[in-house]
Amino acid sequence: MTFAGHQPPPIFNRGPAPLVRLLLFVSLCLMILVADLRFRYLEVLRQGLSVATYPLQMAAATPADFVRNASVYFATLVRVQLENADLRRKQLGSGERLLRFELLERENAQLRGLLEMSQRVGVRSIAADILYDAPDPFARKVILDRGAQQGVEAGLAVVDAAGVLGQVTRVYPIQSEVTLLTDRNQAIPVQVLRNGLRGVLFGIGQGRLEVRFVIATADIQAGDMLVTSGLDGVFVPGLPVAEIESVDRESDAFARIMCRPLAGVERSAQVLVLGRQVLPPPRPADEDAVPPARPVTAP
């Protein structure tokens, strides 16, 4: 068997050396890079490949985006809940402060009114707070936080910023009891501010007042203002007391005159206890009277 002219199979054919092929491919890549950098002829190819591979990129990024978005969602939800709870607490605190501010504003207005009333009446006065209603369901009385130790005496007038509230009827060492104008056993001499007509104002309960002992033909009408006359020597004259609501002249010889109190009989919290009015000097003796002659004794 002869082997003359025999060629080895192609599989055993050896091409260029690996180093040569490496240099060849590196040179080819450098040429392509330089050409692309110089002439931009692969730009269209890159854009087409990016468009073709975009769905694959989105599909590959979907799980990671889902996990990231879910973590952000739950973190945001927890933060929003905490912020909501904090805002609710701040809202409650702001509402409480607002209520206190409104209460202080009302008290300030009442105290300013009491100060003006004290300056207007010109007598010694004692500021007091109403603690609570007296535990008598058949009387309209309140308890003050001032008593004998602070100079409160029975019979003194009690007013608020709008007018007469009542009269001190019982005094304790550190508290005192005030009978309101609307009590059925309370009466106060008044006069009509418009014309000076005098009368007596009585409480009839349920926040109402009535002027009695005024003849039916008297010049008095709805809307007239009633002030203290000062004839009793307790209430300073000229203090606002009530406003006439209706006048009924047909019931009797005396007119039935219904009034409403000007003071906050059921609402006031701060009041003034007015001191006693300075009484006028006693009436002088009759000038015509001749004093008795003194006996003359002999030396």
Side-chain angles (χ1 to χ4, degrees):
M1 185 176 184
T2 178
F3 293 94
H6 178 74
Q7 299 291 333
I11 193 171
F12 295 106
N13 288 338
R14 298 184 61 184
L19 182 58
V20 176
R21 283 183 289 182
L22 176 61
L23 293 175
L24 179 63
F25 288 131
V26 169
S27 301
L28 181 62
C29 291
L30 291 175
M31 291 175 60
I32 294 175
L33 289 174
V34 172
D36 181 54
L37 182 63
R38 179 79 176 174
F39 302 105
R40 296 282 184 180
Y41 67 91
L42 293 179
E43 187 69 27
V44 178
L45 179 61
R46 280 196 299 268
Q47 293 179 359
L49 290 176
S50 64
V51 172
T53 58
Y54 179 76
L56 298 177
Q57 296 176 3
M58 295 299 297
T62 298
D65 292 340
F66 176 78
V67 174
R68 183 172 59 254
N69 293 334
S71 62
V72 171
Y73 170 78
F74 288 110
T76 305
L77 180 62
V78 172
R79 186 174 66 254
V80 168
Q81 290 177 347
L82 293 176
E83 292 178 354
N84 190 19
D86 184 59
L87 290 176
R88 286 182 180 274
R89 287 193 297 269
K90 291 181 179 180
Q91 183 182 11
L92 291 176
S94 300
E96 182 181 359
R97 287 192 297 272
L98 179 60
L99 291 177
R100 288 201 302 266
F101 175 77
E102 292 178 353
L103 178 61
L104 292 175
E105 190 176 21
R106 289 196 298 268
E107 291 181 354
N108 187 27
Q110 292 176 358
L111 292 176
R112 287 179 180 273
L114 290 178
L115 180 60
E116 294 177 0
M117 175 66 76
S118 176
Q119 296 174 351
R120 188 163 62 245
V121 296
V123 297
R124 182 182 64 88
S125 59
I126 302 171
D129 291 334
I130 296 178
L131 297 178
Y132 52 86
D133 292 341
D136 186 356
F138 301 101
R140 300 303 306 134
K141 299 179 180 181
V142 294
I143 304 299
L144 303 183
D145 64 346
R146 296 291 186 270
Q149 294 183 359
Q150 289 78 29
V152 179
E153 301 176 4
L156 296 183
V158 179
V159 301
D160 66 1
V164 178
L165 194 76
Q167 188 176 17
V168 177
T169 53
R170 187 174 298 176
V171 180
Y172 304 100
I174 58 175
Q175 293 180 343
S176 56
E177 181 184 83
V178 176
T179 301
L180 301 178
L181 285 180
T182 54
D183 187 86
R184 295 181 181 275
N185 296 322
Q186 185 68 13
I188 176 175
V190 296
Q191 64 181 7
V192 180
L193 183 62
R194 178 172 55 86
N195 54 18
L197 180 67
R198 291 192 297 269
V200 181
L201 185 68
F202 290 84
I204 58 177
Q206 299 179 352
R208 303 296 299 280
L209 302 169
E210 180 183 4
V211 179
R212 299 175 185 173
F213 312 122
V214 175
I215 59 176
T217 58
D219 181 15
I220 190 170
Q221 59 189 7
D224 282 342
M225 191 76 65
L226 300 179
V227 298
T228 53
S229 63
L231 296 180
D232 55 352
V234 175
F235 293 93
V236 179
L239 294 177
V241 180
E243 181 182 0
I244 297 176
E245 289 186 333
S246 62
V247 179
D248 184 6
R249 306 178 187 274
E250 299 178 357
S251 58
D252 201 350
F254 294 104
R256 182 174 175 83
I257 305 171
M258 305 303 297
C259 310
R260 67 171 184 87
L262 295 177
V265 177
E266 306 293 339
R267 304 183 303 272
S268 293
Q270 289 84 25
V271 297
L272 284 178
V273 181
L274 301 182
R276 295 189 182 278
Q277 182 182 5
V278 178
L279 298 178
R283 182 177 180 180
D286 192 356
E287 296 180 355
D288 296 334
V290 180
R294 299 177 59 183
V296 179
T297 58

